[in-house]
Amino acid sequence: MNARPQPLTDLTGCACEEAAAQYTEFDSYGGGGCDETKGRYADVGLLRCRTCRRLWLRYFVEYEAFTQSGRWARGLISEAAAATITPETALAHLDGLDWYLYGGSYYGSSGRRSGPMHWGL
């Protein structure tokens, strides 16, 4: 689960490396589920880039009772780590990456970052 993706200096230039990549850039790869930790009920899934074929872990939270509460993160994940990832361990994987993409209405923007993100209210 601790396998690291390529470092920032080894980026491929694929559209999937941008936070603004559209859902049409990816195929669902399975591994989905719901992380109910701390009442987040986060949607967790694996996506495969249609162009470069790399695998991404996606984590999405939205609190329906609150406007502009949606937030997501998407980070590279190895095939081996994807085989053992669970919805409850997805955040630890993302937090441990050198970088991941993030965005959503909560932030009002998107980009690249590292370290833990704020997922609560």
Side-chain angles (χ1 to χ4, degrees):
M1 184 173 104
N2 292 329
R4 299 248 186 227
Q6 298 172 339
L8 277 173
T9 56
D10 291 342
L11 293 175
T12 65
C14 185
C16 70
E17 296 168 350
E18 300 299 323
Q22 299 295 309
Y23 72 95
T24 55
E25 299 285 337
F26 303 94
D27 289 320
S28 179
Y29 187 71
C34 181
D35 178 11
E36 297 180 18
T37 305
K38 297 183 180 180
R40 284 190 294 261
Y41 296 97
D43 180 35
V44 180
L46 296 171
L47 304 171
R48 168 114 29 221
C49 176
R50 290 180 174 180
T51 303
C52 71
R53 308 303 298 158
R54 287 183 296 173
L55 198 56
W56 293 83
L57 173 65
R58 181 177 178 271
Y59 195 91
F60 172 77
V61 172
E62 183 173 38
Y63 300 98
E64 294 178 8
F66 299 93
T67 59
Q68 295 186 315
S69 66
R71 59 205 89 169
W72 60 266
R74 186 175 73 241
L76 289 167
I77 186 169
S78 70
E79 299 282 343
T84 61
I85 197 87
T86 67
E88 295 76 22
T89 60
L91 268 187
H93 177 83
L94 289 168
D95 289 348
L97 294 175
D98 291 334
W99 63 275
Y100 58 88
L101 303 167
Y102 78 97
S105 59
Y106 179 80
Y107 293 104
S109 65
S110 61
R112 187 172 285 150
R113 65 177 292 154
S114 63
M117 240 171 73
H118 178 73
W119 294 99
L121 291 172

